[in-house]
Amino acid sequence: MSNEDLKKKLEALSSDELDKVCARLQYTKLKNPTLAFWVYNFLLGGFGVARFYIGQIGFGIFRLALTLLSIIIGFVAESSYDSFWISVSKMFDYGNFGIAIIDLFIVGVLLRNQNLEKVNLIIDEVKS
């Protein structure tokens, strides 16, 4: 659902229906995209916090496990000075960094879509 579709649905409502939608929105828990981006994604994204926040528990666990594994392999590489462990550590670090960059863009879009769907459901319930 896009903003344009939602705008058209809202414009098609009568004033009574619009009042009902506004009343229902006051009690709906819409998630804050600014908080999700700056705190959960930008600062704590490596631990999967942003993915947990938007309800993607499996991917959040994956991000957390990848970060912890990267830290552990980094310690092993630093203590052993073995070129194999150093290259494996760099591979995990680059992979984790790549996923973090992708998440900076994806999490906001997913959260926006979740919020739009909640508003859309409220409009549909009020209409019927």
Side-chain angles (χ1 to χ4, degrees):
M1 159 139 301
S2 69
N3 288 339
E4 303 295 322
D5 296 336
L6 191 60
K7 181 180 176 185
K8 288 177 186 175
K9 278 187 155 185
L10 286 171
E11 288 173 347
L13 295 175
S14 68
S15 62
D16 290 337
E17 290 173 332
L18 195 56
D19 289 341
K20 289 178 185 177
V21 168
C22 290
R24 296 268 317 267
L25 279 175
Q26 290 177 352
Y27 301 107
T28 303
K29 299 277 184 184
L30 297 177
K31 294 181 179 176
N32 187 345
T34 305
L35 182 69
F37 179 80
W38 287 109
V39 176
Y40 297 147
N41 203 11
F42 192 74
L43 296 177
L44 303 171
F47 299 107
V49 175
R51 292 294 184 145
F52 287 121
Y53 181 66
I54 63 172
Q56 294 183 339
I57 306 301
F59 203 81
I61 291 171
F62 170 74
R63 289 289 317 271
L64 178 61
L66 185 65
T67 299
L68 293 177
L69 194 60
S70 179
I71 291 169
I72 291 168
I73 290 174
F75 282 134
V76 169
E78 288 292 321
S79 65
S80 70
Y81 298 110
D82 185 11
S83 62
F84 171 75
W85 286 111
I86 291 172
S87 61
V88 169
S89 173
K90 286 183 181 180
M91 183 177 63
F92 271 93
D93 289 343
Y94 292 145
N96 205 8
F97 181 72
I99 292 172
I101 295 297
I102 291 168
D103 267 3
L104 284 175
F105 297 101
I106 290 178
V107 168
V109 171
L110 292 172
L111 182 59
R112 178 186 151 272
N113 288 341
Q114 284 180 359
N115 285 340
L116 285 175
E117 280 302 315
K118 287 179 183 178
V119 173
N120 187 37
L121 284 173
I122 290 172
I123 292 171
D124 288 342
E125 288 174 3
V126 167
K127 277 182 148 181
S128 56

